[in-house]
Amino acid sequence: MSHPLEQLRDDAQREIAGASDEKALEAVRVRYLGRNGTISAWGEQMKTLGQEEKPIVGKLLNQVRNALTSALDQASEKFRAQKESETLAHIDISLPGTPAERGSLHPLTQMLERGIQIFRRMGFALADGPDIETEWHCFDALNTPADHPARNEQDTFYLPDGRLLRTHTSTVQIRTMQSAAPPIRVIAPGAAYRRDEVDATHSAQFHQIEGLYVDQSVSVADLKGTLEFFMRELFGADTAVRFRPHYFPFTEPSFEIDVKSKALKGGERWIEVAGSGMVHPAVFEEVNKARGDDAYDPEKWTGFAFGLGMDRLAMILFDIPDIRLFAQNDLRFLKQFA
Ligand code: DAH
């Protein structure tokens, strides 16, 4: 004769096998294994059994509970798999998928990286400074006091506390010399700002690579050699480079640099791409004053500096007609440089 628990198990298994959906299956589970279910009731009843019967019935009860739990799990897994294949049956796997759009670097970023690579090969290290600057770093320390006419040409945006958006990356020259003694060989790529009328060649924000080389007996020949090499690496070996005398408060002598190359659209025309010169002794003196030492003794150290207009270089190299395109986020433009 079989034990009533075995009878119970057989009934439950029949019901599980007969359940037509998940809801019916859940009802079976509650009826047998739920808190008020039959199996739980047997658990309660165990307390009333005698010492001899207890372990036998206990063991049987466990076996029945395990058998039912696993039968329920199997049945519910069957329903889940059925549901999944029904859903998949409605998907047309032969349809093409959504293509993943791949981004690319902005043409100005590409230009800056190319420039940085060339200077790195010549042993220049990267230096950095903030876009929001003190008036002293942007002007006074660069031999451009408050009443200097050169300040008119570099009008900018001022913060209420008197700080300003730097008009050039030359500020990083000062910051570098404040924190390190010579020799120095750095470049500083970054944004600069001016309150100019915005047009095809002027933008309120533009980009420069600043360079500074300070050592013993650095001369104009070093300046010329370095920048000629740079321009030829960038624009091709037959690029002509011209150093045109100019004025900057922070260099003496000073030059503007023009390039001309058949490889470039607009070919046989000189195009201005940079300012440069030999660091003015007054700049070294001002740095010494701020440092409180004589590290940049102008009798001992000389240096050259330059500032390259990166937007201009990118416009020449990639044949871009309007500087405003860089900031318009027009994918039809940007995708041409992917
Ligand atoms: N800061 C100048 C400008 O933005 C460019 C420049 C000229 C930088 C001469 C220099 C330099 O370092 O020596 O117009």
Side-chain angles (χ1 to χ4, degrees):
M1 202 182 88
S2 70
H3 191 275
L5 264 172
E6 290 172 309
Q7 186 66 43
L8 187 85
R9 181 195 60 203
D10 295 346
D11 290 347
Q13 271 169 343
R14 215 170 304 118
E15 284 178 50
I16 290 168
S20 57
D21 57 18
E22 260 170 309
K23 222 168 124 201
L25 196 65
E26 175 63 10
V28 178
R29 194 189 66 77
V30 170
R31 197 154 52 248
Y32 288 93
L33 293 174
R35 200 136 52 92
N36 299 315
T38 329
I39 298 284
S40 310
W42 268 93
E44 282 298 309
Q45 216 173 303
M46 288 276 296
K47 293 176 195 156
T48 64
L49 297 179
Q51 281 304 357
E52 260 166 51
E53 226 180 337
K54 224 181 211 170
I56 303 164
V57 176
K59 196 172 162 204
L60 186 59
L61 184 61
N62 265 338
Q63 280 170 356
V64 171
R65 192 188 283 118
N66 289 343
L68 292 188
T69 305
S70 90
L72 280 163
D73 284 352
Q74 265 172 36
S76 115
E77 169 58 24
K78 188 186 74 190
F79 285 131
R80 200 199 55 74
Q82 250 170 27
K83 209 154 114 192
E84 188 178 87
S85 51
E86 272 163 33
T87 318
L88 286 177
H90 296 116
I91 294 175
D92 181 354
I93 55 162
S94 68
L95 277 177
T98 318
E101 290 254 12
R102 195 186 263 253
S104 62
L105 292 178
H106 191 280
L108 269 175
T109 306
Q110 294 183 29
M111 186 67 238
L112 280 164
E113 288 191 351
R114 262 162 99 157
I116 291 166
Q117 282 315 316
I118 299 171
F119 283 117
R120 290 210 111 148
R121 276 159 49 206
M122 289 191 273
F124 283 81
L126 276 178
D128 203 0
D131 290 20
I132 300 175
E133 261 296 3
T134 67
E135 200 174 332
W136 183 79
H137 282 96
C138 196
F139 295 121
D140 303 84
L142 287 158
N143 199 29
T144 318
D147 57 358
H148 198 290
R151 283 213 186 186
N152 286 339
E153 285 162 32
Q154 300 200 3
D155 193 13
T156 184
F157 304 91
Y158 287 83
L159 276 73
D161 65 6
R163 285 180 304 162
L164 46 77
L165 295 186
R166 64 182 181 190
T167 58
H168 49 190
T169 44
S170 306
T171 54
V172 185
Q173 289 185 26
I174 303 300
R175 288 189 173 272
T176 306
M177 289 192 281
Q178 274 183 285
S179 60
I184 293 281
R185 200 189 315 176
V186 291
I187 49 164
Y193 306 83
R194 285 191 204 169
R195 231 177 88 178
D196 281 338
E197 200 70 54
V198 174
D199 62 23
T201 52
H202 295 84
S203 170
Q205 187 200 32
F206 55 101
H207 304 81
Q208 298 185 323
I209 291 184
E210 188 76 16
L212 175 68
Y213 193 153
V214 182
D215 207 331
Q216 275 165 15
S217 55
V218 175
S219 74
V220 175
D222 299 308
L223 163 65
K224 288 186 72 176
T226 302
L227 286 160
E228 274 177 8
F229 177 80
F230 176 81
M231 298 303 170
R232 293 196 176 125
E233 283 297 294
L234 198 59
F235 294 124
D238 58 355
T239 304
V241 185
R242 177 170 77 176
F243 293 79
R244 190 163 31 79
H246 194 73
Y247 173 79
F248 294 107
F250 33 90
T251 42
E252 178 61 31
S254 305
F255 312 93
E256 280 193 325
I257 303 173
D258 305 330
V259 292
K260 189 165 83 167
S261 168
K262 281 207 198 75
L264 298 170
K265 188 113 176 266
E268 286 309 281
R269 195 163 55 83
W270 287 109
I271 309 167
E272 179 205 323
V273 289
S276 66
M278 302 305 293
V279 179
H280 198 294
V283 173
F284 286 151
E285 297 287 13
E286 192 64 18
V287 167
N288 283 338
K289 237 193 288 172
R291 292 173 54 99
D293 63 16
D294 203 21
Y296 286 87
D297 179 357
E299 296 296 324
K300 188 171 166 200
W301 303 94
T302 50
F304 69 76
F306 56 87
L308 293 158
M310 298 313 285
D311 303 69
R312 178 72 69 86
L313 287 181
M315 287 169 78
I316 301 170
L317 197 63
F318 301 138
D319 192 23
I320 296 166
D322 193 318
I323 196 170
R324 289 167 291 198
L325 286 163
F326 287 133
Q328 282 167 348
N329 250 352
D330 187 335
L331 288 180
R332 290 169 302 178
F333 170 71
L334 295 173
K335 278 182 174 166
Q336 296 176 48
F337 308 95

